[in-house]
Amino acid sequence: MSLTRREFLQVLAAAGAAGFSLPAIGGGHSGRGGTHVDPYEIPRFGNVSLLHYTDCHAQLLPVYFREPHINLGVGNMKGRPPHLVGHRFLEYYGIRPGTPEAYAFTYLDFVEAARKYGKVGGFAHLATLVKKLREQRPGALLLDGGDTWQGSATALWTNAQDMVDAQKLLGVDVMTPHWEMTYGAKRVREIVEKDFKGRIDFVAQNIVDNEWEELVFTPYVIREINGVPVAIIGQAFPYTPIANPRYMIPDWSFGIREDHMQEMVDEARGKGAQVVVVLSHNGMDVDLKMARRVTGIDAILGGHTHDAVPRPVLVKNAGGKTIVTNAGSNGKFLSVLDLDVKNGRVRDFRYHLLPVFSNLLEPDPEMAAHIEKVRAPYKDRLEEKLAVTDTLLYRRGNFNGTFDQIICEALMDELGAEIAFSPGFRWGTTLLPGDTITFEDVMTQTAITYPSTTVNNLTGARIKEILEDVADNLFNKDPYYQQGGDMVRVGGLTYTMDPTADIGHRIRDMELDGKPIRPDKTYVVAGWANVHTPLDTRPVWDVVASWLREQKVVSVEKVNTPRLVNVRGNPGIESPSPA
């Protein structure tokens, strides 16, 4: 049973008496946070405040979400944020084990901590926190970093309308996109030009039309906060037409567009902006490189890689320093950036990344009513009980997760394949041992607009090419060549990987049933989420749900992760406890 709100506050008070408080690790570069019983009572600082959430993936209700035990950094990113996990994460940020904060930011003792501290996020609880912080900080802007319209059954079935209406109720001021594009260009334009008109600015400096290379969306907006002109520049996910179907946005091009970013920063400064902030969906490694190369950016509020980074990284460049952050995922966190702006420049700052503990925040009545209304037509379908899990089910991690394992097993069994590939998506929530797996839970792992399953005959050589290509997206030493997803999940096949090797040389020792994979032999491989052409085959959620109904009880004894070499001592990997 989880703690009550009163018991939770008592835990925080006891931790505070020992010098610990949730806001403390988030203090700015020249100050320390104080000790607070209520973690959401944060002293106001400066005269410009920005609230930021990202990658909520359409999770309107509170969830469990286990952070990874593998988040490897390679090259000069080894051992640096965001590539720290578990005990090394706690040590780096000075967080005590066993605290609510340790639960929020790491995988450690996750089952016990989850049962103690409860679920996180939920838009009704997030709305309460946003209102509380806005009362403390008049004029504060709320920024949405994207991946908001995708990730749940109701988002898919309402064509994203449930989330669009939730954003308006939440009071979002500015957003930038990624998975939003998987609803297609026509739907995106419809929302931006109708639902958002006069309410939410949809910004992206790096999306242009293919014919004339003209900007598709507004690149930035300048908003005044307490008399200070603040520019918010949008940076959409650069690799959208590669990671997602190009046919859904055939007339638009993306890319990092670093040179154009510099032009937009300079232009905004020229129009009087005293603060320039990039609302980014690059992924944190890409943001860190951009911060070194583009001058004049005061802060990058980042997303895409789902990294919960409680203290900003200060990046030096030719023009000064840039604050780089990343605010986690699944509605689990809300960040607060307070800036002290005087004489046309940022003099100091404070930053807090606040876990949204659902049993510490009363649900906002208006948002709660919206959530109940949009779910009502689908209630019976969402609540269908498929099976019970004996195992902690999670997705997030560089190589595999227990729920990914279930998806792979279902693909192989239901579709008659020897090998299964499942995309390395970073979205998807967590179930505790003993929980009932509902149809909604399956949709939370699979709800996309291109869910068709496939069965292909692939040679061993082609299988290796696929694995090498995905590995390079994840472990290329140049962040500008990383696409931010995790490694493709694999069922049946086993292999060895060296994340530190060069492209084409990371994968070896591929085996199936203990026998080496032969380059010239053909194997039956099942998969889903084909990005090349629209297909009309069995959707993945139907495959997984059918398999679970047959199983009734599921238990994942061993996760099929590759044998890793040259990672000893890397603080981005730990071996989790059985639970």
Side-chain angles (χ1 to χ4, degrees), residues 70-91:
I70 305 178
N71 187 3
L72 290 169
V74 296
N76 61 12
M77 293 307 300
K78 177 183 176 180
R80 296 183 180 183
H83 302 288
L84 301 161
V85 299
H87 297 91
R88 298 295 288 272
F89 186 103
L90 299 185
E91 180 183 349

Side-chain angles (χ1 to χ4, degrees), residues 543-564:
V543 171
V544 177
S546 175
W547 186 83
L548 286 169
R549 291 185 191 103
E550 291 294 322
Q551 302 300 310
K552 295 185 173 54
V553 177
V554 295
S555 180
V556 181
E557 301 298 332
K558 183 180 180 181
V559 179
N560 184 26
T561 56
R563 300 173 290 270
L564 298 176

Side-chain angles (χ1 to χ4, degrees), residues 293-450:
R293 295 165 61 91
V294 178
T295 61
I297 301 172
D298 293 299
I300 300 177
L301 302 182
H304 180 59
T305 40
H306 293 199
D307 300 307
V309 180
R311 189 166 62 232
V313 177
L314 281 179
V315 178
K316 294 180 180 180
N317 53 54
K321 294 180 180 178
T322 298
I323 302 162
V324 180
T325 74
N326 202 285
S329 67
N330 287 276
K332 188 177 177 180
F333 299 97
L334 180 69
S335 78
V336 185
L337 177 62
D338 293 327
L339 303 171
D340 179 26
V341 184
K342 291 183 180 178
N343 300 322
R345 68 183 185 90
V346 176
R347 292 159 50 94
D348 201 356
F349 76 93
R350 298 290 184 272
Y351 181 79
H352 306 285
L353 185 57
L354 303 176
V356 181
F357 291 114
S358 63
N359 60 356
L360 271 182
L361 294 158
E362 294 294 329
D364 176 75
E366 188 178 14
M367 186 67 81
H370 165 68
I371 294 169
E372 183 176 0
K373 180 181 177 181
V374 298
R375 291 174 57 81
Y378 312 107
K379 188 174 184 295
D380 290 344
R381 191 175 180 190
L382 293 170
E383 294 179 354
E384 182 194 355
K385 297 177 180 179
L386 302 175
V388 173
T389 177
D390 282 345
T391 306
L392 176 68
L393 298 182
Y394 61 90
R395 167 173 279 171
R396 181 70 177 92
N398 279 167
F399 298 104
N400 212 338
T402 46
F403 214 119
D404 294 297
Q405 193 74 47
I406 284 176
I407 294 172
C408 287
E409 293 294 331
L411 288 169
M412 290 188 293
D413 286 356
E414 291 278 317
L415 303 181
E418 301 168 277
I419 296 169
F421 285 161
S422 186
F425 295 144
R426 293 192 172 196
W427 44 272
T429 60
T430 301
L431 292 172
L432 303 184
D435 283 354
T436 296
I437 306 171
T438 65
F439 189 74
E440 181 171 22
D441 294 321
V442 171
M443 292 299 291
T444 300
Q445 310 290 331
T446 59
I448 62 175
T449 55
Y450 50 107

